[in-house]
C-alpha cells in the first residue's frame, strides 16, 4: 500500500458514525487498490471522469442513467442478493430499474392501467389476479401495489411523449383476503436506452440492450418488508441473457388465453377473449 493511500484513509478517521466511516475508508482503500492493480494511466483517468460526468448530465426527473449503469454492471442485483436473504416461501425481489414514477393514479380492484390503447394492434387484455400474503399464507389486506410496464413500443410513459404519464402505471390496494386484480396488456421485451454513456458501454462491449418482457411491482404493507420485483413471461427469448441480470426462476409466469365469458364482462368489464396470469405475492414479515 502506498503511504498516500494510508494518509487518505486516516483523513477520514474523524467521521463519528462507525458505519459511515467504514463505508468511506473501505471505498478509498479499494479504489486505490484497483488503480494500483491496473496501473491506471492519466488518459484512462480522464476518460473515466468524462464518462461519469456525462452519466450525471444524462440524469433528470424521468431519466436515471446512474441506476442504469448500476443495473448493467450487476451492482443492483448484487445489492439485492446481499440484502434479501430469501425466506423459502417469500417472493424473490429483483431490480428496481430507472423507470419508476411515484404518485401514479390509484385504481380500483380489477381496473385497467391502460389509459390509451394502441389503435394499430388491438391487444387482448391481460388480467393479473392473485393474493398478497405473509409466509404463513395469511392474507395481507390493504397492501399497496404499485405497477408499471412498457407500452407495445417498448417504452415507458415518461420516456415517450406520446403516452400520458399514468399510462400503464397505477396503484392498487389488496382486498380483505389479500386479493388483487389488475388489467393490463401483455408486456413486450424492450431495449434499455442506448443514447447515453451506458449505451456506449454496451456497444463497446458488444453486449445487447434487451430485457425480457416483464411487469414491475412494488408492494408495501405495514409490518412487512417492501417487495420490489417483476413478473416475467415464460418463453421470452431474453430470459437467459437479461442485460441487467434481473431474472429469477420463481418470477417467470405462464399466461393463458381465456375465451369471452359473461361473468368476466360483468365482474371486470372484459368484453373479449383475454389473457390471464395468477400470481401470489409473499411478503416477509418485519422482525417484531
Ligand atoms: Fe422494466
Amino acid at each position: 500500500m502506498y503511504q498516500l493511500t494510508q494518509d487518505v484513509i486516516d483523513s477520514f478517521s474523524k467521521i463519528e458514525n462507525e458505519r459511515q466511516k467504514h463505508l468511506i475508508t473501505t471505498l478509498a482503500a479499494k479504489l486505490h487498490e484497483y488503480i494500483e492493480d491496473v496501473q491506471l494511466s492519466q488518459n484512462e483517468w480522464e476518460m473515466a471522469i468524462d464518462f461519469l460526468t456525462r452519466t450525471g448530465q444524462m440524469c433528470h426527473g424521468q431519466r436515471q442513467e446512474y441506476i442504469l449503469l448500476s443495473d448493467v454492471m450487476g451492482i443492483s442485483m448484487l445489492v439485492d442478493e446481499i440484502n434479501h436473504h430469501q425466506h423459502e416461501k417469500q417472493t424473490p425481489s429483483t431490480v428496481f430499474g430507472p423507470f419508476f414514477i411515484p404518485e401514479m393514479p390509484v385504481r380500483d380492484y380489477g381496473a385497467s392501467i391502460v389509459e390509451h390503447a394502441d389503435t394499430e394492434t388491438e391487444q387482448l387484455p391481460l388480467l393479473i389476479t392473485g393474493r398478497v400474503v405473509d409466509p404463513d399464507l395469511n392474507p395481507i389486506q390493504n397492501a399497496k401495489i404499485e405497477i408499471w410496464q412498457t407500452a407495445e413500443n417498448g417504452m415507458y410513459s415518461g420516456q415517450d411523449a406520446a403516452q400520458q404519464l399514468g399510462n400503464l402505471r397505477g396503484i392498487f390496494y389488496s382486498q380483505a383476503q389479500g386479493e388483487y386484480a389488475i388489467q393490463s396488456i401483455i408486456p413486450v421485451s424492450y431495449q434499455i436506452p442506448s443514447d447515453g454513456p451506458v449505451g456506449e458501454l454496451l456497444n463497446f462491449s458488444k453486449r445487447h440492450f434487451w430485457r425480457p418482457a416483464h411487469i414491475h411491482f412494488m408492494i408495501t404493507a405495514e409490518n412487512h418488508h417492501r417487495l420490489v420485483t417483476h413478473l416475467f413471461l415464460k418463453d421470452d427469448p431474453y430470459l437467459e441473457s437479461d442485460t441487467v441480470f434481473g431474472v429469477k426462476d420463481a418470477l417467470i409466469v405462464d399466461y393463458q388465453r381465456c375465451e369471452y365469458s359473461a361473468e368476466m364482462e360483468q365482474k371486470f368489464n372484459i368484453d373479449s377473449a383475454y389473457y390471464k396470469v395468477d400470481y401470489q405475492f409473499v411478503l416477509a414479515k418485519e422482525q417484531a
Side-chain angles (χ1 to χ4, degrees):
M1 186 191 285
Y2 285 90
Q3 181 57 45
L4 169 68
T5 302
Q6 191 58 55
D7 291 346
V8 172
I9 292 169
D10 292 346
S11 75
F12 291 117
S13 63
K14 293 194 187 111
I15 296 175
E16 286 174 8
N17 179 296
E18 284 303 318
R19 174 67 180 166
Q20 288 170 350
K21 191 199 295 186
H22 179 62
L23 290 174
I24 292 174
T25 55
T26 306
L27 177 67
K30 296 276 184 188
L31 280 175
H32 278 235
E33 185 186 330
Y34 167 78
I35 289 161
E36 202 181 325
D37 276 358
V38 301
Q39 291 288 293
L40 196 75
S41 72
Q42 192 72 36
N43 190 35
E44 289 162 344
W45 175 85
E46 282 172 22
M47 284 170 62
I49 294 292
D50 176 61
F51 182 86
L52 293 173
T53 302
R54 288 185 297 109
T55 300
Q57 286 167 342
M58 204 77 198
C59 297
H60 55 77
Q62 278 145 31
R63 176 75 186 261
Q64 234 303 355
E65 193 77 357
Y66 272 116
I67 292 184
L68 208 57
L69 180 59
S70 165
D71 290 351
V72 301
M73 292 294 291
I75 292 169
S76 307
M77 285 309 290
L78 182 58
V79 173
D80 176 72
E81 289 285 333
I82 291 165
N83 287 281
H84 298 97
H85 297 292
Q86 266 350 126
H87 185 288
E88 211 180 322
K89 294 179 192 157
Q90 189 185 326
T91 300
S93 49
T94 187
V95 286
F96 186 63
F99 300 115
F100 174 73
I101 301 178
E103 294 168 20
M104 285 291 105
V106 175
R107 304 186 193 277
D108 293 336
Y109 176 81
S112 177
I113 59 173
V114 180
E115 289 194 352
H116 46 92
D118 187 327
T119 47
E120 285 174 31
T121 52
E122 264 199 35
Q123 273 210 19
L124 295 180
L126 170 68
L127 178 66
I128 313 159
T129 56
R131 296 200 311 149
V132 183
V133 297
D134 71 15
D136 300 319
L137 305 184
N138 299 310
I140 302 176
Q141 185 180 5
N142 216 24
K144 182 184 188 185
I145 304 169
E146 290 172 271
I147 179 170
W148 63 108
Q149 75 170 78
T150 57
E152 291 158 280
N153 64 2
M155 303 240 269
Y156 288 90
S157 75
Q159 273 186 298
D160 178 7
Q163 293 180 55
Q164 291 158 218
L165 209 54
N167 191 41
L168 294 163
R169 299 177 183 272
I171 299 173
F172 292 78
Y173 287 92
S174 60
Q175 308 291 296
Q177 294 306 311
E179 66 273 41
Y180 69 87
I182 299 166
Q183 281 186 60
S184 184
I185 49 173
I186 299 278
V188 295
S189 322
Y190 68 85
Q191 299 192 68
I192 62 169
S194 59
D195 56 343
V198 171
E200 281 170 36
L201 175 66
L202 294 192
N203 275 326
F204 172 78
S205 316
K206 298 186 174 60
R207 278 174 57 179
H208 74 65
F209 289 75
W210 289 95
R211 296 217 60 210
H214 59 271
I215 302 173
H216 291 259
F217 291 86
M218 178 158 70
I219 306 183
T220 324
E222 217 175 314
N223 303 323
H224 293 78
H225 287 287
R226 187 179 76 169
L227 173 66
V228 173
T229 196
H230 303 356
L231 294 183
F232 296 93
L233 297 187
K234 74 159 198 174
D235 297 333
D236 189 286
Y238 300 104
L239 284 172
E240 299 293 328
S241 65
D242 182 2
T243 198
V244 306
F245 310 96
V247 180
K248 293 178 178 175
D249 287 349
L251 300 176
I252 302 172
V253 297
D254 196 1
Y255 60 102
Q256 291 167 342
R257 186 188 158 108
C258 306
E259 295 310 317
Y260 165 82
S261 79
E263 184 197 343
M264 294 311 276
E265 178 160 18
Q266 194 191 16
K267 198 170 175 188
F268 293 120
N269 209 20
I270 297 177
D271 61 359
S272 62
Y274 62 100
Y275 293 102
K276 184 170 166 55
V277 163
D278 266 309
Y279 199 83
Q280 179 163 269
F281 291 103
V282 185
L283 267 58
K285 284 182 185 167
E286 272 175 357
Q287 305 291 357

